Amino acid sequence: MESQRNISVFILLGLSHDQNTQIFCFVLFLFSYVALLVGNLLILISIRCSPLYNQPMYYFLIHLSLIDICYTSTVTPKLIADLLVERKTISYSNCMLQVFTMHFFGGTEIFILTAMAFDRYAAICKPLHYVIIMNRTRCNLLVLAAWVGGAVHSIPLFSTAISLPFCGPNEIDHYFCDIFPLLKVACTDTYITGVLVIAFSGMVALVTFVVLFVSYGIILFTLRNHSTKGRHKALSTCWSHITVVVLFFGPVIFIYLRPPTTFPEDKVSALFYTIIAPMFNPLIYTLRNTEMKNAMRKVWCQTLLSKDAHN
């Protein structure tokens, strides 16, 4: 713990040193963050104010939108602000907090996506028992399990980060604090620690991805026996889920399921699961979903009409 106190501030090297690139990234990520906030808030309010809230799929979608807002907000505002300054710094305590919140919300998102896959499996493969299987009590338990799972996932990684001794270089070659970049600047042999991080974090992502892949395989296989109309409706929601899963899990597996080292490409990969995937989630779940579009139209049209009547 004494050696940790030698470092009170870390310097983030960010995405690029080129001024024009930083300005471009500032505009792009500011737009992306605003779009993410607006899109997810629209989903949250539209579902909460419509009968869709009583359906398990949309109940889980509310939690996914909430997690996306929290998850991205742990990194993106800091990234956007840093693009305007030459020296990008983060205090030791904020760095450790970022490690915890990133993995907490990221882990929770993984388990929420798993709960959504289970919901689609029950709806398509067990339609006669769907209402019993996915009752509100079970939905609440699945959501609670997702949040607890996120905590269980993040606490060991946070404990690993906070126990690392930092006594020399304090430059982190990333745009946020993550476990592998921190291992690189720790003044101790971190190979075993890196392997344990892979075993815990990388394997969680891989096993969850395989479970999701198999479950969607079973769902798509079962759809052969459905009518054309039923198949089309089910496929529209399934492909939305699959797109979100691939966008999120692909970069996560690339970064966390390999020997404990860092590459320049990691920053680009991290952008996918910290900003790009959460930004596209509202579009993916609304553009391909007729029920969601109708609910949004109804809720916001009624809001505008009531405002006009007031005036």
Side-chain angles (χ1 to χ4, degrees):
M1 292 300 290
E2 285 297 321
S3 59
Q4 286 177 4
R5 295 194 185 101
N6 293 341
I7 298 289
S8 58
V9 173
F10 290 105
I11 298 169
L12 300 170
L13 297 184
L15 291 170
S16 172
H17 297 292
D18 182 68
Q19 190 66 35
N20 292 329
T21 304
Q22 290 195 66
I23 292 169
F24 172 77
C25 288
F26 171 79
V27 174
L28 176 64
F29 296 142
L30 180 61
F31 169 80
S32 299
Y33 186 57
V34 171
L36 181 148
L37 291 177
V38 171
N40 281 297
L41 285 171
L42 279 173
I43 285 179
L44 276 167
I45 296 167
S46 299
I47 294 175
R48 194 64 188 87
C49 298
S50 74
L52 291 180
Y53 182 69
N54 298 317
Q55 296 184 34
M57 184 178 84
Y58 297 102
Y59 179 68
F60 291 134
L61 185 54
I62 272 190
H63 287 275
L64 182 67
S65 294
L66 177 63
I67 291 163
D68 275 341
I69 291 171
C70 297
Y71 178 60
T72 308
S73 295
T74 63
V75 170
T76 309
K78 169 73 175 161
L79 167 62
I80 292 169
D82 281 348
L83 289 167
L84 295 177
V85 297
E86 188 176 343
R87 185 178 166 86
K88 304 160 180 53
T89 61
I90 185 169
S91 68
Y92 176 86
S93 55
N94 285 341
C95 182
M96 295 301 116
L97 180 64
Q98 207 170 58
V99 170
F100 175 77
T101 53
M102 272 290 298
H103 287 280
F104 173 62
F105 291 119
T108 306
E109 176 147 349
I110 284 173
F111 296 122
I112 286 288
L113 289 170
T114 307
M116 293 174 82
F118 177 71
D119 169 69
R120 290 301 83 204
Y121 169 81
I124 293 165
C125 301
K126 309 282 184 183
L128 298 177
H129 302 98
Y130 176 68
V131 176
I132 298 170
I133 294 171
M134 297 305 295
N135 57 62
R136 185 44 63 95
T137 302
R138 182 161 283 131
C139 289
N140 288 333
L141 286 173
L142 286 170
V143 168
L144 178 62
W147 285 97
V148 171
V152 170
H153 169 73
S154 62
I155 289 170
L157 295 171
F158 172 70
S159 300
T160 299
I162 208 167
S163 64
L164 290 172
F166 301 103
C167 50
N170 65 338
E171 289 188 343
I172 298 176
D173 190 14
H174 216 305
Y175 62 89
F176 68 94
C177 285
D178 201 4
I179 191 73
F180 281 158
L182 284 170
L183 290 178
K184 198 172 180 181
V185 297
C187 53
T188 185
D189 184 9
T190 58
Y191 181 78
I192 299 298
T193 307
V195 171
L196 292 173
V197 170
I198 293 167
F200 186 75
S201 191
M203 289 307 296
V204 165
L206 181 63
V207 170
T208 310
F209 181 74
V210 170
V211 169
L212 290 171
F213 185 80
V214 171
S215 65
Y216 282 119
I218 295 169
I219 289 168
L220 294 174
F221 183 78
T222 306
L223 284 174
R224 297 179 313 142
N225 305 320
H226 286 231
S227 65
T228 306
K229 186 179 178 182
R231 193 185 304 129
H232 178 74
K233 183 180 177 183
L235 279 174
S236 67
T237 55
C238 281
W239 283 122
S240 297
H241 289 294
I242 291 168
T243 305
V244 169
V245 166
V246 170
L247 274 175
F248 185 81
F249 277 89
V252 168
I253 290 171
F254 170 74
I255 288 177
Y256 291 105
L257 199 67
R258 66 173 197 225
T261 184
T262 56
F263 297 118
E265 295 81 9
D266 289 354
K267 297 177 189 179
V268 178
S269 298
L271 288 173
F272 274 90
Y273 61 81
T274 56
I275 301 172
I276 296 169
M279 180 188 70
F280 278 116
N281 282 359
L283 292 173
I284 291 167
Y285 281 113
T286 54
L287 292 180
R288 296 181 61 88
N289 192 316
T290 307
E291 283 184 325
M292 192 69 230
K293 283 189 282 189
N294 290 339
M296 290 177 78
R297 200 176 295 119
K298 194 173 180 181
V299 167
W300 295 104
C301 283
Q302 283 180 351
T303 304
L304 290 172
L305 286 171
S306 63
K307 278 187 177 179
D308 288 342
H310 246 313
N311 295 333

